[in-house]
PDB file of all heavy atoms in Angstrom:
ATOM      1  N   MET A   3       2.071  25.508  -2.749  1.00  0.00           N
ATOM      2  CA  MET A   3       2.437  24.253  -3.389  1.00  0.00           C
ATOM      3  C   MET A   3       1.203  23.558  -3.936  1.00  0.00           C
ATOM      4  O   MET A   3       0.108  23.727  -3.406  1.00  0.00           O
ATOM      5  CB  MET A   3       3.124  23.319  -2.387  1.00  0.00           C
ATOM      6  CG  MET A   3       4.603  23.579  -2.213  1.00  0.00           C
ATOM      7  SD  MET A   3       5.373  22.303  -1.201  1.00  0.00           S
ATOM      8  CE  MET A   3       5.086  20.844  -2.211  1.00  0.00           C
ATOM      9  N   ILE A   4       1.424  22.774  -4.972  1.00  0.00           N
ATOM     10  CA  ILE A   4       0.335  22.039  -5.604  1.00  0.00           C
ATOM     11  C   ILE A   4       0.609  20.548  -5.466  1.00  0.00           C
ATOM     12  O   ILE A   4       1.734  20.091  -5.715  1.00  0.00           O
ATOM     13  CB  ILE A   4       0.206  22.403  -7.094  1.00  0.00           C
ATOM     14  CG1 ILE A   4      -0.108  23.903  -7.239  1.00  0.00           C
ATOM     15  CG2 ILE A   4      -0.868  21.562  -7.771  1.00  0.00           C
ATOM     16  CD1 ILE A   4      -0.042  24.407  -8.663  1.00  0.00           C
ATOM     17  N   VAL A   5      -0.404  19.805  -5.054  1.00  0.00           N
ATOM     18  CA  VAL A   5      -0.317  18.354  -4.953  1.00  0.00           C
ATOM     19  C   VAL A   5      -1.295  17.769  -5.964  1.00  0.00           C
ATOM     20  O   VAL A   5      -2.499  18.028  -5.883  1.00  0.00           O
ATOM     21  CB  VAL A   5      -0.649  17.855  -3.534  1.00  0.00           C
ATOM     22  CG1 VAL A   5      -0.578  16.329  -3.479  1.00  0.00           C
ATOM     23  CG2 VAL A   5       0.292  18.470  -2.503  1.00  0.00           C
ATOM     24  N   ALA A   6      -0.779  17.006  -6.918  1.00  0.00           N
ATOM     25  CA  ALA A   6      -1.632  16.348  -7.910  1.00  0.00           C
ATOM     26  C   ALA A   6      -2.010  14.978  -7.381  1.00  0.00           C
ATOM     27  O   ALA A   6      -1.160  14.109  -7.227  1.00  0.00           O
ATOM     28  CB  ALA A   6      -0.895  16.234  -9.238  1.00  0.00           C
ATOM     29  N   GLY A   7      -3.292  14.790  -7.082  1.00  0.00           N
ATOM     30  CA  GLY A   7      -3.764  13.496  -6.598  1.00  0.00           C
ATOM     31  C   GLY A   7      -4.144  13.518  -5.137  1.00  0.00           C
ATOM     32  O   GLY A   7      -3.359  13.925  -4.287  1.00  0.00           O
ATOM     33  N   ALA A  16      -0.361  16.595   1.969  1.00  0.00           N
ATOM     34  CA  ALA A  16      -1.034  17.841   2.321  1.00  0.00           C
ATOM     35  C   ALA A  16      -1.111  18.026   3.835  1.00  0.00           C
ATOM     36  O   ALA A  16      -0.912  19.131   4.352  1.00  0.00           O
ATOM     37  CB  ALA A  16      -2.431  17.868   1.709  1.00  0.00           C
ATOM     38  N   LEU A  19       2.365  19.060   4.930  1.00  0.00           N
ATOM     39  CA  LEU A  19       2.663  20.447   4.566  1.00  0.00           C
ATOM     40  C   LEU A  19       1.950  21.412   5.503  1.00  0.00           C
ATOM     41  O   LEU A  19       2.526  22.411   5.952  1.00  0.00           O
ATOM     42  CB  LEU A  19       2.260  20.696   3.113  1.00  0.00           C
ATOM     43  CG  LEU A  19       3.072  19.941   2.057  1.00  0.00           C
ATOM     44  CD1 LEU A  19       2.490  20.179   0.668  1.00  0.00           C
ATOM     45  CD2 LEU A  19       4.539  20.333   2.100  1.00  0.00           C
ATOM     46  N   VAL A  24       3.256  25.008   5.398  1.00  0.00           N
ATOM     47  CA  VAL A  24       3.367  25.264   3.957  1.00  0.00           C
ATOM     48  C   VAL A  24       1.971  25.240   3.332  1.00  0.00           C
ATOM     49  O   VAL A  24       1.306  24.203   3.345  1.00  0.00           O
ATOM     50  CB  VAL A  24       4.249  24.204   3.268  1.00  0.00           C
ATOM     51  CG1 VAL A  24       4.302  24.454   1.760  1.00  0.00           C
ATOM     52  CG2 VAL A  24       5.649  24.208   3.864  1.00  0.00           C
ATOM     53  N   PRO A  25       1.494  26.359   2.776  1.00  0.00           N
ATOM     54  CA  PRO A  25       0.184  26.367   2.121  1.00  0.00           C
ATOM     55  C   PRO A  25       0.183  25.460   0.895  1.00  0.00           C
ATOM     56  O   PRO A  25       1.168  25.395   0.155  1.00  0.00           O
ATOM     57  CB  PRO A  25      -0.003  27.839   1.711  1.00  0.00           C
ATOM     58  CG  PRO A  25       0.978  28.606   2.543  1.00  0.00           C
ATOM     59  CD  PRO A  25       2.132  27.692   2.767  1.00  0.00           C
ATOM     60  N   CYS A  26      -0.926  24.757   0.688  1.00  0.00           N
ATOM     61  CA  CYS A  26      -0.995  23.865  -0.471  1.00  0.00           C
ATOM     62  C   CYS A  26      -2.441  23.676  -0.877  1.00  0.00           C
ATOM     63  O   CYS A  26      -3.374  23.986  -0.132  1.00  0.00           O
ATOM     64  CB  CYS A  26      -0.352  22.516  -0.151  1.00  0.00           C
ATOM     65  SG  CYS A  26      -1.292  21.488   1.006  1.00  0.00           S
ATOM     66  N   VAL A  27      -2.602  23.137  -2.088  1.00  0.00           N
ATOM     67  CA  VAL A  27      -3.911  22.725  -2.571  1.00  0.00           C
ATOM     68  C   VAL A  27      -3.742  21.369  -3.228  1.00  0.00           C
ATOM     69  O   VAL A  27      -2.722  21.093  -3.866  1.00  0.00           O
ATOM     70  CB  VAL A  27      -4.498  23.753  -3.574  1.00  0.00           C
ATOM     71  CG1 VAL A  27      -3.626  23.886  -4.818  1.00  0.00           C
ATOM     72  CG2 VAL A  27      -5.926  23.389  -3.950  1.00  0.00           C
ATOM     73  N   VAL A  28      -4.744  20.502  -3.032  1.00  0.00           N
ATOM     74  CA  VAL A  28      -4.738  19.175  -3.637  1.00  0.00           C
ATOM     75  C   VAL A  28      -5.726  19.169  -4.796  1.00  0.00           C
ATOM     76  O   VAL A  28      -6.888  19.556  -4.634  1.00  0.00           O
ATOM     77  CB  VAL A  28      -5.124  18.087  -2.609  1.00  0.00           C
ATOM     78  CG1 VAL A  28      -5.175  16.711  -3.270  1.00  0.00           C
ATOM     79  CG2 VAL A  28      -4.155  18.083  -1.435  1.00  0.00           C
ATOM     80  N   LEU A  29      -5.273  18.737  -5.964  1.00  0.00           N
ATOM     81  CA  LEU A  29      -6.126  18.623  -7.136  1.00  0.00           C
ATOM     82  C   LEU A  29      -6.419  17.142  -7.376  1.00  0.00           C
ATOM     83  O   LEU A  29      -5.501  16.353  -7.612  1.00  0.00           O
ATOM     84  CB  LEU A  29      -5.435  19.234  -8.359  1.00  0.00           C
ATOM     85  CG  LEU A  29      -5.007  20.706  -8.207  1.00  0.00           C
ATOM     86  CD1 LEU A  29      -4.265  21.181  -9.457  1.00  0.00           C
ATOM     87  CD2 LEU A  29      -6.211  21.592  -7.933  1.00  0.00           C
ATOM     88  N   LEU A 113      -7.942  16.452   6.786  1.00  0.00           N
ATOM     89  CA  LEU A 113      -7.413  17.579   6.009  1.00  0.00           C
ATOM     90  C   LEU A 113      -8.431  18.708   5.900  1.00  0.00           C
ATOM     91  O   LEU A 113      -8.104  19.882   6.093  1.00  0.00           O
ATOM     92  CB  LEU A 113      -7.006  17.081   4.617  1.00  0.00           C
ATOM     93  CG  LEU A 113      -6.310  18.120   3.728  1.00  0.00           C
ATOM     94  CD1 LEU A 113      -5.005  18.577   4.348  1.00  0.00           C
ATOM     95  CD2 LEU A 113      -6.081  17.554   2.332  1.00  0.00           C
ATOM     96  N   ILE A 117      -7.664  22.370   7.325  1.00  0.00           N
ATOM     97  CA  ILE A 117      -7.395  23.441   6.369  1.00  0.00           C
ATOM     98  C   ILE A 117      -8.668  24.108   5.872  1.00  0.00           C
ATOM     99  O   ILE A 117      -8.698  25.300   5.603  1.00  0.00           O
ATOM    100  CB  ILE A 117      -6.578  22.906   5.167  1.00  0.00           C
ATOM    101  CG1 ILE A 117      -5.278  22.269   5.642  1.00  0.00           C
ATOM    102  CG2 ILE A 117      -6.260  24.028   4.193  1.00  0.00           C
ATOM    103  CD1 ILE A 117      -4.405  21.728   4.512  1.00  0.00           C
ATOM    104  N   LYS A 120     -11.764  23.985   0.998  1.00  0.00           N
ATOM    105  CA  LYS A 120     -11.063  24.282  -0.249  1.00  0.00           C
ATOM    106  C   LYS A 120      -9.690  23.623  -0.318  1.00  0.00           C
ATOM    107  O   LYS A 120      -8.938  23.839  -1.274  1.00  0.00           O
ATOM    108  CB  LYS A 120     -10.924  25.795  -0.420  1.00  0.00           C
ATOM    109  CG  LYS A 120     -12.257  26.521  -0.580  1.00  0.00           C
ATOM    110  CD  LYS A 120     -12.066  28.005  -0.809  1.00  0.00           C
ATOM    111  CE  LYS A 120     -13.411  28.717  -0.987  1.00  0.00           C
ATOM    112  NZ  LYS A 120     -13.231  30.178  -1.204  1.00  0.00           N
ATOM    113  N   ALA A 121      -9.363  22.803   0.681  1.00  0.00           N
ATOM    114  CA  ALA A 121      -8.052  22.135   0.699  1.00  0.00           C
ATOM    115  C   ALA A 121      -7.911  21.173  -0.467  1.00  0.00           C
ATOM    116  O   ALA A 121      -6.810  20.963  -0.980  1.00  0.00           O
ATOM    117  CB  ALA A 121      -7.867  21.387   2.016  1.00  0.00           C
ATOM    118  N   VAL A 122      -9.048  20.557  -0.897  1.00  0.00           N
ATOM    119  CA  VAL A 122      -9.026  19.603  -1.997  1.00  0.00           C
ATOM    120  C   VAL A 122     -10.020  20.071  -3.058  1.00  0.00           C
ATOM    121  O   VAL A 122     -11.194  20.284  -2.764  1.00  0.00           O
ATOM    122  CB  VAL A 122      -9.398  18.183  -1.518  1.00  0.00           C
ATOM    123  CG1 VAL A 122      -9.343  17.193  -2.680  1.00  0.00           C
ATOM    124  CG2 VAL A 122      -8.472  17.726  -0.403  1.00  0.00           C
ATOM    125  N   ARG A 123      -9.540  20.244  -4.270  1.00  0.00           N
ATOM    126  CA  ARG A 123     -10.401  20.621  -5.395  1.00  0.00           C
ATOM    127  C   ARG A 123     -10.744  19.354  -6.164  1.00  0.00           C
ATOM    128  O   ARG A 123      -9.916  18.799  -6.889  1.00  0.00           O
ATOM    129  CB  ARG A 123      -9.696  21.639  -6.285  1.00  0.00           C
ATOM    130  CG  ARG A 123      -9.631  23.027  -5.661  1.00  0.00           C
ATOM    131  CD  ARG A 123      -8.728  23.973  -6.443  1.00  0.00           C
ATOM    132  NE  ARG A 123      -9.036  23.994  -7.876  1.00  0.00           N
ATOM    133  CZ  ARG A 123      -8.320  24.693  -8.757  1.00  0.00           C
ATOM    134  NH1 ARG A 123      -7.278  25.416  -8.364  1.00  0.00           N
ATOM    135  NH2 ARG A 123      -8.646  24.665 -10.047  1.00  0.00           N
ATOM    136  N   ALA A 153      -2.944  26.455 -12.988  1.00  0.00           N
ATOM    137  CA  ALA A 153      -2.640  26.979 -11.656  1.00  0.00           C
ATOM    138  C   ALA A 153      -1.132  26.964 -11.497  1.00  0.00           C
ATOM    139  O   ALA A 153      -0.436  26.127 -12.086  1.00  0.00           O
ATOM    140  CB  ALA A 153      -3.300  26.125 -10.569  1.00  0.00           C
ATOM    141  N   SER A 154      -0.620  27.923 -10.732  1.00  0.00           N
ATOM    142  CA  SER A 154       0.825  28.049 -10.557  1.00  0.00           C
ATOM    143  C   SER A 154       1.212  27.888  -9.103  1.00  0.00           C
ATOM    144  O   SER A 154       0.433  28.195  -8.189  1.00  0.00           O
ATOM    145  CB  SER A 154       1.306  29.411 -11.066  1.00  0.00           C
ATOM    146  OG  SER A 154       1.055  29.536 -12.450  1.00  0.00           O
ATOM    147  N   LEU A 158       5.469  21.327  -7.489  1.00  0.00           N
ATOM    148  CA  LEU A 158       4.385  20.403  -7.795  1.00  0.00           C
ATOM    149  C   LEU A 158       4.790  19.020  -7.311  1.00  0.00           C
ATOM    150  O   LEU A 158       5.879  18.536  -7.623  1.00  0.00           O
ATOM    151  CB  LEU A 158       4.121  20.365  -9.302  1.00  0.00           C
ATOM    152  CG  LEU A 158       3.254  19.201  -9.827  1.00  0.00           C
ATOM    153  CD1 LEU A 158       1.838  19.287  -9.271  1.00  0.00           C
ATOM    154  CD2 LEU A 158       3.249  19.188 -11.359  1.00  0.00           C
ATOM    155  N   ILE A 159       3.904  18.388  -6.549  1.00  0.00           N
ATOM    156  CA  ILE A 159       4.112  17.015  -6.123  1.00  0.00           C
ATOM    157  C   ILE A 159       3.135  16.129  -6.893  1.00  0.00           C
ATOM    158  O   ILE A 159       1.916  16.270  -6.757  1.00  0.00           O
ATOM    159  CB  ILE A 159       3.893  16.845  -4.604  1.00  0.00           C
ATOM    160  CG1 ILE A 159       4.795  17.807  -3.827  1.00  0.00           C
ATOM    161  CG2 ILE A 159       4.149  15.396  -4.195  1.00  0.00           C
ATOM    162  CD1 ILE A 159       6.278  17.645  -4.118  1.00  0.00           C
TER     163      ILE A 159
END
Side-chain angles (χ1 to χ4, degrees):
M3 276 188 62
I4 299 171
V5 179
L19 293 175
V24 178
C26 71
V27 62
V28 177
L29 303 177
L113 186 62
I117 303 181
K120 295 183 179 180
V122 181
R123 286 170 50 184
S154 298
L158 166 64
I159 304 302

